[in-house]
Amino acid sequence: MSECLSLKLSECLTPILNECLTLISIRGQTLITTHFTCIKNFLKLFTFDRVEITRKKKREVGSTVAKRLRYNMNACIGCQTCSLVCSTLLGQHSLSESAIYIKTKGGLQSPYVCVVCVACKENIACLEACRTGALRARPGGGVLFDKSKCISCRLCVKACAIGAVQYSEKLDQPVICRHCGTCTRFCPHQCLWMEEVEEIAEVVEAIEAEALETSKTSSPTPETTHPKEGEAKS
Amino acid sequence: MIYQDYIRVLTIDLTEETYVISQRKDLKAFLGGVGIASKLLEEHLKEDKPVLDSEQCIVFAIGALSTIFPIVTKTVAMFWSPLTGELGESYAGGRMALTMFMARYDAIVIKGRAKKPIYLSISGHSVEFKDAAAMWGLESDEVGRIIREREPGAGKRSILRIGPAGENLVRYASVCVDTYRHFGRLGLGTVMGSKHLKAICIYGKGSHEIKDRKAYFKAFSDIHQKALTTDLMKKYHDLGTPIGVSGMNANKSIPTLNLQTTFYEDISALTGEAFAQRNLIRKTACAGCPVGCIHIGQFRREFGPGYEYEAISVSYDYELIFSLGTFLGLKTSDEVLEMIEAVEAYGLDAISAGVVLGWATEAFQKGLITEAQTLVPLAFGDQKNYLKALKHISDRTNDFYTTLGDGSAAAAKLYGGEDFAMQLAGNEMAGYHTGYGSVLGAAVGARHSHLCNGGYGFDQADDFSMDTLVDRVFDEELHRCLLNSMIACLFGRRLYDRGTIVTAMASIGETHTEESLKQAAAEIYKNKLRLKKRMGFDQTAMKLPKRFFETPGGGTQLEEDVLNRLIRDYDEKCQTLFTKAE
């Protein structure tokens, strides 16, 4: 398939995709499966490159549209590549220093489950539990972590009802997904993707301010221009 | 260990319930995996004592690139094989390599014999010897569940266990790793049984700090991308290894009815497509592998009147469809899956179990053994009786099944029918009768497996030539010593050429050249050959069953003299390996 045609296809499909994702947030998980698979199959018909689908959804550097990590585990093969890649961002080969955690529902005969921050936008439990200001609300949902303010009290770990805040004994800090999207680039079966989040004007401004601050204070890492908090400086 | 100049070895003594850690700088030259495992086996082997003596050991090792690069997912186990009486070498995937890596052990040596049944709980901080008396006799699946509930670390642990066959010292008992993968061949389960070791749980919650993040990430990303764009995904993820069934059958290469033929008329219900359409319910992967070749199939069983059904799911592969399917004349995918369920539960090697039943069926037909011995009449295609026979093998019900549990070579020696007991040096044949390459490869392969050198692959190559066959098999055996030191899954072998290995090693601070890797591989192979010699193996004295030369493989009628010449040529090449170095 020619590059030109792929481009046109993606242009015409993006609105459909967006609409589907909006529907999903209203009606729930089943719908994601149906619509998403349906679209994927349709794209396959046109030998549309799957890698390209992922790229299309990736957050562009400097974009003012907030994104958050989403998953659909039906295609998960349990390879744990996401966890291994995530821990790399903290300078480790590890499963414990990863913010995304793959396990089974109950033994390997059962489906895989993904334990990761769901990017709460209201009533952010870990944020409310934090007494030191080490966590602050992240545009698009979830939190951003500042290691310099953390006293390793682990209240955030206890507070998260879905167990998505991991704790690294080695680094003596919580490990929380910051929705940077690196894992989505390496998931071999497209179980993970970044979803755009609609934000009100003030929040967009906050994102811009944050992006500006980030670009001033930290040097880009090899794998992402949005390094994780607490990441070892290379 | 990664980023260190030593190999970190955990040595466990089951008799004394003690363990020590050693940092072995001298092993670093042997890279990892099979390289270090063969050295450790060399150190611990007591060839003057019986194979299953308590002083013999089991060595597990991970490789130099284990699980931090895509498809580098395997753990090797080395031991003295109770089936062949020589080199025991077996590979398993699952999460074991990842957990050993995270628990920071390159190798685990287990020796001694526990006073009563136990299981080992290994983490980065401790080794615990836990009571498993109540688990003794339980099927593999049940043991997995119990340990899962007793031990911490969901998602970060690996659970190895044996079934009743291992406890009863059936010589081809397997070890199940994480439900769907196995140390299948050559009787590791038997060795564990002899040590009263029912299970091992490895919890890997540790980590390794990355030395050069930029270099590692680049190398990782490049290989990951390459893995996703090769035909690996299509070949191994879509239909999985059973994709080969129809092709092998069309080429008249799939061993059928105890290798009386290599073409199966009723193949349509046993192809990869048939399994996928009728039984496939999900796919899964070993930790660190983006491909996901593990295919889980489900079948429904009526266990009582009044519409009483249960759904059972097991993993299936090409080799199992051959050994428990075509080799025994079974007709449907459901029947094969039910056979797989049985070998899983009892903890038998699926290939050996199928192949010994093939011999038993033909021996029964020919009147060499009677129903008084087999307890059920054995006939090709009679799955229900095969299920009963598997149980008898596992339980070692009578003298006949006890002998059958010693392997087809032992059984044929006692009851006759050696011409059609399809084994090579005591190891039951794999699912390829493609020509000279398949038989030569398995005959000279260090562990007599189709995976030692992939000899069957050369038969199918367009540029096949008898003149180059020995060289190609030899070179591949050598190259796989390198792959098995990393330890890359052999499905990813084309991805990991020497150049790629050099790059990957460099990114984690290990400096090698293609030439130095080649030399290391040669040293590793020499170690393995030395071990085989100490175990009393002589390649040239091997006697192959006549059936290999009666049934054409891949359309070629093999001649015994020609094959013996090839084996001699190969042996000479092995000798040169030693003389060249001196």
Side-chain angles (χ1 to χ4, degrees), chain A residues 97-111:
Chain A
E97 275 74 30
S98 166
I100 183 165
Y101 180 29
I102 305 296
K103 58 177 189 173
T104 60
K105 246 179 199 169
L108 285 159
Q109 283 161 322
S110 62

Side-chain angles (χ1 to χ4, degrees), chain A residues 2 4 7 25 37 68 75-76 128 145 148 159 165 179 196 206:
Chain A
S2 73
C4 170
L7 199 69
S25 60
T37 317
R68 60 182 172 184
C76 178
E128 286 167 9
F145 171 65
S148 66
V165 179
H179 302 266
E196 290 185 359

Side-chain angles (χ1 to χ4, degrees), chain A residues 136-154:
Chain A
R136 65 178 197 276
R138 173 190 171 277
V143 291
L144 293 169
F145 171 65
D146 181 349
K147 192 177 181 179
S148 66
K149 292 179 183 165
C150 177
I151 55 165
S152 308
C153 64
R154 307 191 193 197

Side-chain angles (χ1 to χ4, degrees), chain B residues 259-553:
Chain B
L259 199 66
Q260 291 176 21
T261 171
T262 47
F263 180 76
Y264 197 43
E265 296 277 353
D266 302 319
I267 202 75
S268 61
L270 297 180
T271 61
E273 291 81 355
F275 272 87
Q277 282 157 11
R278 179 169 168 79
N279 307 96
L280 180 63
I281 52 162
R282 64 189 279 247
K283 300 172 196 175
T284 172
C286 299
C289 175
V291 178
C293 75
I294 305 172
H295 283 57
I296 315 297
Q298 193 174 65
F299 68 98
R300 190 172 81 153
R301 178 164 54 209
E302 188 173 11
F303 61 86
Y307 304 102
E308 289 284 14
Y309 291 107
E310 59 184 330
I312 292 143
S313 36
V314 289
S315 68
Y316 62 91
D317 266 300
Y318 173 85
E319 293 297 342
L320 285 68
I321 298 174
F322 132 72
S323 67
L324 301 170
T326 63
F327 205 74
L328 299 178
L330 300 197
K331 298 279 192 293
T332 68
S333 55
D334 283 15
E335 285 179 343
V336 174
L337 292 177
E338 196 172 13
M339 291 286 279
I340 296 173
E341 185 215 6
V343 295
E344 288 276 13
Y346 309 143
L348 289 164
D349 173 35
I351 298 181
S352 284
V355 174
V356 297
L357 284 180
W359 169 84
T361 309
E362 202 171 326
F364 182 78
Q365 283 178 344
K366 289 191 158 75
L368 299 175
I369 44 175
T370 64
E371 199 174 326
Q373 289 159 319
T374 60
L375 306 175
V376 286
L378 296 174
F380 289 117
D382 186 347
Q383 188 246 18
K384 291 288 167 253
N385 281 347
Y386 282 139
L387 287 173
K388 288 176 192 156
L390 285 173
K391 175 91 172 113
H392 289 312
I393 292 174
S394 170
D395 290 347
R396 309 203 108 173
T397 311
N398 59 13
D399 287 349
F400 169 72
Y401 280 107
T402 301
T403 312
L404 203 56
D406 288 344
S408 53
K413 201 173 167 191
L414 188 66
Y415 298 102
E418 286 178 295
D419 292 346
F420 55 85
M422 300 318 298
Q423 47 75 37
L424 301 102
N427 193 23
E428 279 71 27
M429 77 174 295
Y432 306 91
H433 190 49
T434 47
Y436 281 105
S438 63
V439 186
L440 173 71
V444 300
R447 55 195 155 116
H448 311 291
S449 143
H450 62 296
L451 292 172
C452 293
N453 47 53
Y456 60 96
F458 301 122
D459 287 328
Q460 298 161 296
D462 293 335
D463 56 350
F464 172 83
S465 153
M466 284 296 278
D467 301 333
T468 56
L469 183 62
V470 170
D471 288 343
R472 291 177 88 172
V473 169
F474 184 83
D475 291 346
E476 187 63 23
E477 178 97 17
L478 262 181
H479 183 55
R480 290 189 183 195
C481 285
L482 176 62
L483 288 169
N484 290 335
S485 303
M486 296 301 120
I487 306 172
C489 171
L490 292 171
F491 291 164
R493 60 186 176 270
R494 285 193 186 83
L495 198 62
Y496 286 95
D497 50 31
R498 280 192 204 92
T500 307
I501 295 175
V502 169
T503 314
M505 292 283 266
S507 78
I508 55 166
E510 303 279 346
T511 314
H512 287 280
T513 61
E514 292 194 31
E515 197 44 46
S516 73
L517 288 178
K518 220 171 158 177
Q519 277 168 14
E523 286 308 314
I524 292 164
Y525 191 31
K526 277 158 69 179
N527 285 340
K528 285 169 69 173
L529 291 172
R530 270 195 290 265
L531 268 168
K532 285 165 73 76
K533 206 172 167 189
R534 274 176 69 190
M535 290 165 173
F537 180 67
D538 177 5
Q539 206 154 261
T540 51
M542 207 166 106
K543 199 166 162 8
L544 294 171
K546 284 212 164 53
R547 181 64 51 84
F548 278 128
F549 310 103
E550 290 163 358
T551 305

Side-chain angles (χ1 to χ4, degrees), chain A residues 77 79 93 96 101 108 112 232, chain B residues 154 205 208 213 282 284-285 288:
Chain A
I77 56 169
C79 68
H93 298 298
S96 303
Y101 180 29
L108 285 159
Y112 289 106
Chain B
K205 66 166 182 176
H208 299 266
R213 202 151 35 124
R282 64 189 279 247
T284 172

Side-chain angles (χ1 to χ4, degrees), chain B residues 204-244:
Chain B
K205 66 166 182 176
S207 57
H208 299 266
E209 189 166 342
I210 301 172
K211 239 184 187 172
D212 184 343
R213 202 151 35 124
K214 199 171 166 183
Y216 165 70
F217 210 86
K218 169 144 188 18
F220 172 85
S221 308
D222 289 351
I223 298 173
H224 181 83
Q225 203 48 45
K226 231 165 97 184
L228 297 191
T229 46
T230 56
D231 64 347
L232 273 172
M233 294 300 255
K234 179 122 201 79
K235 192 171 168 192
Y236 294 114
H237 182 71
D238 288 6
L239 287 179
T241 55
I243 194 176

